[in-house]
Structure formats: C-alpha cells, structure tokens
Amino acid sequence: MTITTTENPTYKLELASSPHVHSRWNTKQAMWLVVIALIPAVISAVIFFGIYQLLVIAVAVGFAVGTEAAIKTIRKRKVTITDGSGIITGLLLALILPPNFNLAFTALGSIVAIGLGKEIFGGIGYNIFNPALVGRAFLQAAFPVPMTTWTNPNFSQVDAVTTATPLSAFKFDSVATELSSMFIGNIGGSLGETSAIAVMLGGIFLIAIGVVNYRVPAAMLIGAILFGGVFWMIDPIAYPNPLFHLLAGGFLFGLFFMATDWVTSPMTPKGMWIYGLGISLVLIIIRLFGGLPEGVMYAILFMNAFVPLINRYTRPRVFGEVK
C-alpha cells in the first residue's frame, strides 16, 4: 500500500497498511540469532557424543536448505535460503535426533520437514506446525527403533550401549537420574537436549535480546511445575518431582526453541500464556499416563493446531467494539 502523507502547518498524518507494531529484529536477523543461540547445544552434543554428530548436523542442514531451494525453483519462486529458515529447520531437527543417527534417515527427515512441514503450506510464515517437529514425527513413525536407540555419553560410568534416557529409566524401571547429571548433560538423550545448561544459555540469550517472548517459556515452566507438582504431591514414589520434568528429555529445548517459533505460536499475550500452559498440560499427561516416556514433540504439535483458534479468541477488543 502506498504511503500517503498529508502535511499542514500544525501536524503530519501518515497512512500505511498493517502491521503497525514491529519487532526489534527482522525475520532474517532473528533466524541467524537463533543459529547463534544453538551453538552451546551443538558444542555439548560434540562433547558428550563425539565428532560424528557434526556430520549428522551437516547432513540435516544441507538437505533442508537444498530441499527448500529445489522447491522454490520448481515453483518459480525466489530462492530465499539466505534468510536462514532452512538452516534453522535442519539444525533443530538434527539436535532432536538420537546420537549417531543414520545419515540417510537424517536426510529424509530434513526433506519431509521442509517439504511437508513448511513449503506445502506456501513457505515461511504460512506453516501451521513446527517444521522440525514434523520431520521428527515422520522419523519417529517410520523408523521407531533407530529413533529410540540411545548411546551413553562419553563421560558415562557405564561402558556399554544402553537404551535408557532419564525419562525411560524412570518410567519403565523406576530409576531416578541424578539432577546434576541432567543439568550438565552427561546422560542419554537427543543430541541437543541433554545439557540443560547449554540449552538455557541459548534460550536466555534469545529472551534477553527480544527474539523470544518470555511469556511462552514462562507459561510452560509454570505449567510443568503446577501440573507435575500436583501428581508428585499425590504420590511422590510413582510420579517424578517437577524439577525432573524440567530437566529431563526435550522440555527445555522445546520451551526455548520449538514452542516459541514466531509462525506457529500465538500472537496475543493472553494466547501465549494459554498456549504454554496447554503444552505443559499435554506433556505431563503423556509422560505420566501415555505409552511413551517423552511427550514434548506431540504436546507442541498438538497445541500448534490450536494457535489460530487461540489467536481468534484472545485478540484485543477494538476500541468501541461491542460483542
């Protein structure tokens, strides 16, 4: 829309199309800042699981960017791989995969994440679900055994390969993992999810610079403590304490890097609180009563589906509007 300016001696009037509220960062800048924020998680993945993980990350990022460029070319659209969105999708997907994951499966996951998770809806800004989680959900359904095969970290006291993560150990064997190990990352789990301190460094950085709105992470934290705490107080033997829910699995990684996706999370402040609390509620139900020990991926995808509805019913009322 063309900007029209009317001037007179006392005031200046400007007319412009929405949006009228802008972020401090544009999309391209925000994407690259997220890449920077993920560096601690990448470093922790290499430290705890070895240099091979860089190859997994390179394959995931390469096929994500390549798939995006190929689809844009086929659709005769401008190739926008420099905006960083394809890199983010590939990087996020790699960091939520098990260590030493098959490279062919990794490439397939990236193709599905970009093709079915983003480009089929029209590209960046139009997707309903988080693309990286779509890719992981596909891999979880197609290759369930490799997706649940975990490797002991380099500094583990156990030499053999194990199938246990803190969540599966608690759920199936009633074995609690030390919180200090979960905080540092010396545990079994997905590449970028095991080290709570590495994830928090990146996440707090994004909140501090305004790329991530604090409301969604805060709502998820409150929700996990509230809902997990209720069951823990009912039976502290059968159900883990709330701090375990925060540090175990992909909760913190999902809280900072997945649930806060600009496109697939609500726009209104009230909607962000509802969305974050909803994710934690679904997560706790899956972890405590579902067949799977983890539930972050399904909880976020589930709440992604409700985002348009949440936006609709939580939008601020226009001045003078009557219901």
Side-chain angles (χ1 to χ4, degrees):
M1 180 177 180
T2 303
I3 297 177
T4 303
T5 303
T6 303
E7 296 186 1
N8 68 28
T10 57
Y11 63 88
K12 183 172 70 175
L13 177 64
E14 293 186 358
L15 300 178
S17 59
S18 61
H20 303 295
V21 179
H22 299 276
S23 169
R24 177 182 176 185
W25 309 103
N26 62 38
T27 301
K28 184 176 181 179
Q29 291 171 329
M31 293 293 175
W32 286 106
L33 287 169
V34 175
V35 171
I36 293 172
L38 287 168
I39 289 176
V42 172
I43 293 174
S44 74
V46 174
I47 291 174
F48 290 111
F49 299 109
I51 197 72
Y52 176 84
Q53 315 319 318
L54 288 180
L55 189 56
V56 175
I57 292 171
V59 169
V61 171
F63 272 85
V65 173
T67 301
E68 182 176 303
I71 293 176
K72 294 287 188 186
T73 303
I74 293 171
R75 297 177 63 197
K76 298 181 180 179
R77 300 283 183 86
K78 181 182 178 182
V79 177
T80 56
I81 58 175
T82 56
D83 65 11
S85 63
I87 294 174
I88 287 289
T89 299
L91 186 53
L92 289 174
L93 175 64
L95 292 175
I96 55 177
L97 294 177
N100 305 321
F101 196 66
N102 183 288
L103 296 181
F105 297 165
T106 302
L108 189 57
S110 287
I111 293 170
V112 171
I114 294 294
L116 294 182
K118 188 168 74 173
E119 292 300 325
I120 198 171
F121 295 101
I124 185 172
Y126 297 97
N127 50 295
I128 301 172
F129 302 100
N130 186 296
L133 291 180
V134 171
R136 193 185 192 283
F138 166 77
L139 292 174
Q140 185 79 46
F143 312 108
V145 174
M147 287 295 290
T148 52
T149 300
W150 309 102
T151 304
N152 275 326
N154 289 333
F155 308 104
S156 171
Q157 299 298 319
V158 182
D159 295 329
V161 173
T162 180
T163 57
T165 64
L167 286 169
S168 59
F170 187 91
K171 190 176 187 70
F172 301 122
D173 302 319
S174 299
V175 175
T177 305
E178 292 182 2
L179 295 180
S180 60
S181 296
M182 296 162 66
F183 186 75
I184 296 171
N186 192 29
I187 54 173
S190 298
L191 293 186
E193 297 178 347
T194 60
S195 175
I197 188 171
V199 174
M200 287 192 294
L201 280 174
I204 292 171
F205 165 72
L206 291 178
I207 292 175
I209 62 175
V211 171
V212 165
N213 190 301
Y214 74 91
R215 291 181 178 85
V216 172
M220 285 182 64
L221 279 174
I222 293 171
I225 294 171
L226 177 64
F227 303 130
V230 168
F231 289 102
W232 177 62
M233 287 190 290
I234 292 173
D235 188 346
I237 303 299
Y239 303 118
N241 64 66
L243 190 56
F244 178 86
H245 283 297
L246 302 186
L247 298 179
F251 181 80
L252 288 177
F253 194 85
L255 176 148
F256 286 118
F257 296 105
M258 295 295 191
T260 53
D261 177 18
W262 283 5
V263 179
T264 58
S265 60
M267 295 182 292
T268 63
K270 185 186 297 182
M272 293 177 188
W273 288 105
I274 295 171
Y275 171 75
L277 289 170
I279 290 173
S280 288
L281 176 60
V282 175
L283 169 68
I284 295 299
I285 291 173
I286 293 175
R287 282 186 174 183
L288 299 186
F289 306 107
L292 299 173
E294 178 60 289
V296 172
M297 174 182 70
Y298 295 114
I300 294 176
L301 288 174
F302 182 82
M303 289 305 296
N304 281 165
F306 285 92
V307 167
L309 194 64
I310 293 173
N311 281 333
R312 178 176 180 179
Y313 287 101
T314 59
R315 66 180 175 84
R317 186 181 301 179
V318 177
F319 182 72
E321 179 185 17
V322 178
K323 283 189 175 180

